[in-house]
Structures are given as C-alpha cells and as structure tokens.
C-alpha cells in the first residue's frame, strides 16, 4: 500500500485528500465512535484513501517526508486552537500503529470456502507478526483470538482497514450461509474490541441493516445518499476540477482541448448534501491525461451484484423490486446524491 500511495503522489493530476486524516485522528480511541464505513461507487478513491491511511499510520514506514508536504501536516480548522490540536495529533499518530489491511476483492478465486479464506488471513497475520517479533508465538486458530491475546500481553492497539468489504457478498463462490457467517466475522473483528484504535471500511453497497444477529451496527456509515462529513474526500469537487484544468493548461500548453465546462457536462453525475457537484475522479483524470472526453468508467457493475442486493434485501429493496416485477408502480424520491434531476 505504501508503494501504491507513492505512485499516486507522482501522478500529474494528483489531488491532495490528506485532510481526511485530520478528521480520522479525532476518532482514534474514541469510545463508540471509532469505526467508519464509507460506501461509494467504483473509481471514487476509496482504495486510494486506504493506501494513504496505511502509509500514514503504519509502524515501520517513515512517512514524515511524504506527509509534511501535504495538507494534513498544516491542520484544517479555521480556529487556531483547534488547528494546533490537529497538528499535534498529526505528529502523535503518525507511524504509531501496526495496521491491518484487508482487501476482500483480491484473489477470491483461490478460495472454495469462507473457512479457507479466513484461515489464510489468520496464517498470513501469524507469519507477519512472528517476523516482526521473533520468538513470539501466535497460535490461536482465528485472527480475532490472536489479536485479543496480543493485546492482553502487550496492550498494543491496531488500525484496521477493510477494503471492498462487500466483495464476498457479491461473489458467487460463497453460499448464502457463508455470507451471513462472513458478516458475523466482520462484527466479531471490529465491535467493542479493545485492540482496535480505529477501523476504516470501504465498499460499494451500504451495510445490510436487516441481517438479524449479523448486523454490522458497529460502524458509522457514510454513503452517496448520506454523507455530510467526508463527501469532499471521495470524488473531485468543482474547485478541484477547476484547479486541475489550470494545472493541465500549464503542463500542456499546445495540446489543451478540454475545458472545465466539458468535464462538467460529462462527469459531474453526483451532488453532495449541500448541492455541490462531485465528479468521478477516474474519468476526470483520464480525460485530462488523454485530452479526450469519453466514457472511461467501464465495467461499473454486474447483474449478479443486483441479485445479491435483492437476496440480502440491502436497503430493503426486495419488496419494491418484487412489486415492479408484478407490474406495479413504485414512487421514489431522489435526494442528496442523486441523478442530477435528469430523468
């Protein structure tokens, strides 16, 4: 993840989103409010933020030279007292924690069962921890038990980063029962755990609130439809796109066909809770890089994902979809992040 973030920094059209670290630092070890789940569409920077957080918080990564050049090091508050506190926290938490990074979209094809996946996660954790601390035996049969055991001995806390949490839900490799068990695993990993200083989880679909005992009610969730805290860090804001256009004009003086209005007409498909337009960063970046407006957002979804959303009744859509199948009408309201009123 360190190499991934370094690569992002070297991009011509890099946008500094590091102030989210100032926001998250205020949640470190905060009882009942230190688990954040961000659900946004594909290509909106969720994994880039995960790479940045892993680079910043992780022990063993000397990231001071990287982040001292970014916004996070200067604080973000307009109040001077609060800004000083932010800068102090920036120094205090940088490189302080071992970071557990889970990418549940990676190499799922290798696993025939959920148990095989979770066993492999535990084995990788054991190997990594024993390399860091030779002579230390990590012998429990689950990562949760091992983390609890380590905390009991050392009082050491971890930052937990879970990327693409819903990949297991969307995968055809796992049975419905295994998917419910997986949600139970996430809950047991995160909820009320003394070893967790902070947890950041990303995905495309909002957490299914209706899955009885497996409900992930331990997260504060922010989706495209409900986010007045972190919306500016996912996607590009209007001002960021304007600034990128100015930067492109300086870089490519001769070949500079694309204007802000062109990007606005194509890629500002969402609105924040306050009406601010949010642009798809993947499309904007490639349009500026190639000096060409077109559809760069391929493969946005698969039909099996819709099937899983229906089966797991995410956001309670199952009854509504069954009504539509029967030929009945369903009235809906679009608000906050919507279809830009073009219907």
């Amino acid at each position: 993840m360190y190499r991934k973030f370094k690569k992002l920094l070297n991009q011509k059209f890099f946008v500094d989103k590091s102030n989210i670290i100032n926001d998250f630092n205020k949640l470190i070890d905060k009882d009942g409010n230190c688990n954040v789940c961000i659900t946004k569409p594909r290509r909106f920077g969720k994994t880039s933020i995960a790479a940045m957080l892993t680079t910043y918080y992780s022990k063993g990564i000397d990231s001071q030279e990287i982040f001292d050049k970014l916004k996070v090091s200067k604080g973000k508050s307009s109040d001077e007292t609060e800004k000083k506190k932010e800068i102090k926290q920036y120094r205090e938490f940088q490189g302080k924690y071992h970071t557990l990074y889970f990418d549940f979209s990676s190499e799922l094809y290798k696993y025939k069962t959920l148990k095989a996946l979770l066993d492999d996660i535990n084995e990788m954790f054991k190997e990594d921890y024993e390399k860091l601390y030779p002579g230390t035996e990590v012998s429990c049969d689950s990562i949760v038990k091992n983390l609890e055991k380590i905390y009991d001995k050392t009082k050491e806390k971890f930052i937990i980063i879970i990327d693409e949490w819903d990949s297991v839900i969307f995968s055809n490799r796992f049975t419905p029962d295994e998917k419910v068990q997986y949600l139970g695993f996430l809950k047991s990993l995160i909820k009320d755990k003394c070893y967790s200083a902070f947890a950041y989880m990303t995905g495309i679909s909002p957490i299914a609130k209706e899955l009885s005992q497996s409900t992930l009610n331990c997260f504060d969730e922010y989706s495209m439809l409900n986010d007045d805290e972190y919306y500016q860090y996912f996607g590009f804001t209007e001002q960021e796109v304007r600034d990128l256009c100015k930067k492109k004009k300086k870089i490519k003086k001769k070949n500079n066909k694309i204007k802000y209005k062109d990007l606005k007409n194509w890629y500002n498909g969402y609105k924040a809770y306050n009406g601010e337009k949010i642009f798809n960063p993947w499309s904007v970046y490639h349009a500026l890089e190639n000096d060409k407006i077109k559809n760069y957002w391929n493969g946005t979804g698969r039909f099996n994902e819709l099937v899983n959303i229906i089966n797991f009744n995410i956001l309670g859509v199952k009854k509504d979809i069954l009504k539509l199948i029967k030929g009945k009408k369903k009235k809906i309201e679009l608000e906050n992040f919507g279809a830009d009123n073009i219907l």
Side-chain angles (χ1 to χ4, degrees):
M1 294 303 281
Y2 167 73
R3 287 192 293 271
K4 182 179 179 66
F5 186 58
K6 286 281 286 183
K7 185 177 179 180
L8 289 171
L9 289 172
N10 293 328
Q11 289 181 348
K12 279 187 283 188
F13 301 110
F14 171 75
V15 174
D16 185 351
K17 299 285 189 177
S18 64
N19 266 330
I20 196 172
I21 294 174
N22 281 316
D23 292 335
F24 285 166
N25 280 345
K26 295 169 186 176
L27 303 181
I28 297 288
D29 279 336
K30 188 174 181 180
D31 290 342
N33 195 29
C34 62
N35 305 320
V36 172
C37 178
I38 305 288
T39 55
K40 308 286 182 180
R42 286 187 179 89
R43 308 299 191 183
F44 265 73
K46 303 182 298 296
T47 298
S48 297
I49 296 292
M52 179 175 66
L53 297 177
T54 303
T55 303
Y56 169 76
Y57 286 115
S58 291
K59 286 184 177 182
I61 297 179
D62 185 2
S63 63
Q64 183 174 341
E65 184 179 354
I66 294 173
F67 287 100
D68 278 359
K69 299 175 183 177
L70 301 180
K71 292 178 181 179
V72 60
S73 64
K74 312 298 189 297
K76 59 171 283 191
S77 178
S78 57
D79 180 82
E80 286 302 316
T81 301
E82 184 65 22
K83 181 178 286 190
K84 288 179 181 179
K85 182 179 177 182
E86 289 169 347
I87 295 171
K88 181 181 177 182
Q89 288 178 328
Y90 162 69
R91 297 295 183 196
E92 179 185 355
F93 296 134
Q94 188 175 36
K96 181 179 178 180
Y97 298 94
H98 286 309
T99 304
L100 301 176
Y101 174 74
F102 303 87
D103 179 3
F104 282 107
S105 67
S106 177
E107 299 185 325
L108 281 183
Y109 66 88
K110 297 195 310 186
Y111 306 102
K112 294 182 178 180
T113 66
L114 179 69
K115 183 179 185 303
L117 171 62
L118 299 184
D119 286 348
D120 197 31
I121 288 173
N122 189 44
E123 286 301 315
M124 287 189 286
F125 170 75
K126 287 161 66 175
E127 289 176 11
D128 286 347
Y129 197 82
E130 288 170 1
K131 283 181 183 177
L132 285 171
Y133 300 100
T136 302
E137 185 180 359
V138 185
S139 58
C140 296
D141 60 0
S142 80
I143 190 171
V144 174
K145 291 178 182 178
N146 280 318
L147 288 168
E148 289 173 340
K149 187 176 179 180
I150 289 169
Y151 179 79
D152 288 342
K153 287 185 176 180
T154 66
K155 303 304 177 187
E156 186 170 32
K157 293 196 173 187
F158 294 78
I159 299 291
I160 300 174
I161 297 175
I162 300 170
D163 204 7
E164 304 290 0
W165 79 271
D166 47 357
S167 291
V168 171
I169 301 298
F170 290 150
S171 173
N172 289 326
R173 302 190 68 83
F174 305 105
T175 68
D177 284 344
E178 285 180 314
K179 292 173 183 180
V180 173
Q181 292 169 24
Y182 165 70
L183 293 172
F185 161 74
L186 291 179
K187 182 178 179 181
S188 68
L189 178 68
I190 299 297
K191 188 172 183 180
D192 299 329
K193 295 302 181 183
C194 52
Y195 55 71
S196 176
F198 172 72
Y200 166 78
M201 187 167 82
T202 80
I204 299 168
S205 298
I207 297 171
K209 299 292 187 184
E210 316 242 345
L211 293 176
S212 62
Q213 73 274 11
S214 294
T215 301
L216 294 175
N217 57 3
C218 49
F219 285 93
D220 288 330
E221 186 179 4
Y222 302 88
S223 68
M224 273 301 202
L225 293 171
N226 182 25
D227 185 358
D228 59 356
E229 290 286 336
Y230 307 114
Y231 74 92
Q232 69 271 31
Y233 302 119
F234 299 90
F236 290 161
T237 64
E238 292 180 84
Q239 187 57 52
E240 287 169 343
V241 175
R242 291 181 187 276
D243 291 343
L244 288 176
C245 288
K246 292 177 183 177
K247 186 175 183 178
K248 181 179 183 295
K249 192 174 181 179
K250 292 179 181 178
I251 295 172
K252 297 183 177 182
K253 294 182 179 179
K254 293 182 179 180
N255 188 22
N256 191 28
K257 301 175 184 176
I258 294 180
K259 308 297 182 186
Y260 170 77
K261 65 179 181 179
D262 301 318
L263 298 172
K264 180 181 177 182
N265 288 336
W266 270 74
Y267 305 129
N268 67 332
Y270 295 89
K271 284 185 178 180
Y273 78 102
N274 58 0
E276 184 175 2
K277 296 181 185 299
I278 301 295
F279 293 69
N280 174 253
W282 176 265
S283 299
V284 170
Y285 174 84
H286 283 85
L288 293 173
E289 179 69 24
N290 299 325
D291 203 43
K292 185 176 182 180
I293 295 287
K294 71 172 195 175
N295 176 25
Y296 293 99
W297 199 9
N298 296 322
T300 57
R302 302 183 302 275
F303 286 115
N304 65 301
E305 294 180 0
L306 179 59
V307 171
N308 277 298
I309 288 172
I310 295 171
N311 286 340
F312 278 83
N313 200 24
I314 294 173
L315 291 180
V317 301
K318 186 172 184 178
K319 289 182 179 179
D320 294 337
I321 290 176
L322 289 175
K323 286 182 180 179
L324 294 173
I325 291 172
K326 292 178 181 179
K328 297 180 180 180
K329 294 181 179 181
K330 175 64 182 177
K331 186 177 180 179
I332 63 171
E333 293 182 5
L334 297 177
E335 57 182 13
N336 297 332
F337 280 94
D340 207 13
N341 299 321
I342 303 174
L343 290 175

